[in-house]
Amino acid sequence: MTTATKVHWLGMIGTFFGCLAILAAVLPTWVLPIVMPPAPVDKVVVDTAQKIKVRVVAKAKGVEYKEAERKPDWYGVISAAAVTLGALAIVLAAISFVAREPWRFAGVAATLGAGAILFQFSLMVAGALIAILLIAALLNALGISL
């Protein structure tokens, strides 16, 4: 008599989505700058100044300004995918746990999903802290105290 092993689909799919979420969370941070390097700062500043100039001239002439078509922001797209896949992994982990699949599947899926989401938020918090420190240093250099 052979017993067939039960496949725990919800936990396995949740773990798969959690792995994809971790990959999507790490990809824009380390791999995307290598594949698509960011534009130099001076080029960004010149382009921004040119756009402002064109917009001011259009406003002065009374002509409606039409903004140029934007390129997709791959960092934003992949970051949103990481958070979405992480949330999906957590939901599937909860369903897997409720369906009484082995807790390891649910635990791994939930941990991977939460890790991907926390990684994205930690990058935002780090960016905000750096911005606050730069503003504080600038205000200090100007002699302005809060």
Side-chain angles (χ1 to χ4, degrees):
M1 180 171 181
T2 358
T3 58
T5 58
K6 183 179 178 185
V7 179
H8 306 289
W9 287 105
L10 293 171
M12 290 175 70
I13 293 172
T15 302
F16 176 72
F17 281 131
C19 290
L20 287 178
I22 289 291
L23 288 174
V26 171
L27 181 70
T29 306
W30 289 299
V31 177
L32 199 58
I34 295 170
V35 176
M36 298 171 51
V41 175
D42 58 342
K43 184 180 184 315
V44 173
V45 170
V46 169
D47 288 345
T48 304
Q50 185 66 27
K51 288 177 188 176
I52 292 171
K53 177 184 165 190
V54 170
R55 187 173 287 183
V56 168
V57 168
K59 182 80 169 178
K61 289 183 178 179
V63 179
E64 183 180 340
Y65 174 75
K66 292 188 179 181
E67 191 172 329
E69 188 174 319
R70 293 184 182 186
K71 293 184 272 183
D73 176 25
W74 289 109
Y75 180 82
V77 170
I78 296 173
S79 295
V83 173
T84 303
L85 289 170
L88 186 59
I90 292 172
V91 167
L92 286 171
I95 295 171
S96 171
F97 184 76
V98 169
R100 297 182 185 246
E101 292 184 353
W103 64 270
R104 281 180 275 166
F105 289 110
V108 168
T111 303
L112 288 172
I117 293 171
L118 288 174
F119 186 79
Q120 289 299 317
F121 286 128
S122 70
L123 290 177
M124 285 191 324
V125 168
L129 287 175
I130 290 172
I132 290 169
L133 288 174
L134 287 174
I135 291 171
L138 179 67
L139 292 175
N140 189 26
L142 294 173
I144 301 171
S145 63
L146 299 175

